[in-house]
Amino acid sequence: MAGNPRNGRPYRRLVAAVKALGDPCARCGHNIDPGLDPRHPLSFTLDHVVPLSRGGNLLDPANARSMHRRCNSARGNRVGPQPLKTTRRW
């Protein structure tokens, strides 16, 4: 029986490589503090451009990008550009 592929060495290596790039959040554009606790809403998470539930590759570097935990959760498994939420109601 195979374990969780996200606990494997190749996945952890990919996460470390993307985190080392220091790219800003792909959704909101703000910087990501690498020193935050992993449970913090503004901490680093690895986002997949094509979600895994829609056939995206877990270990493909071209399918990986930096994102805040909160932004990644809000994105869900949607594909394509999404409008940013504004604070004003027009």
Side-chain angles (χ1 to χ4, degrees):
M1 182 172 135
N4 183 353
R6 292 184 185 176
N7 289 337
R9 188 172 292 141
Y11 182 75
R12 289 193 311 258
R13 199 176 297 135
L14 175 64
V15 170
V18 172
K19 191 174 185 178
L21 293 174
D23 291 339
C25 178
R27 186 162 194 255
C28 71
H30 290 95
N31 289 330
I32 301 171
D33 184 0
L36 288 175
D37 183 87
R39 296 169 295 196
H40 193 278
L42 296 177
S43 66
F44 171 87
T45 57
L46 184 73
D47 177 58
H48 293 91
V49 178
V50 178
L52 302 178
S53 64
R54 296 187 181 246
N57 187 342
L58 178 71
L59 301 176
D60 183 12
N63 193 35
R65 60 186 177 180
S66 300
M67 203 174 276
H68 289 119
R69 178 170 298 285
R70 178 185 347 182
C71 294
N72 199 352
S73 295
R75 178 177 175 261
N77 72 339
R78 294 178 203 92
V79 178
Q82 299 161 30
L84 295 175
K85 294 183 180 181
T86 58
T87 55
R88 290 186 176 183
R89 298 201 185 272
W90 297 97

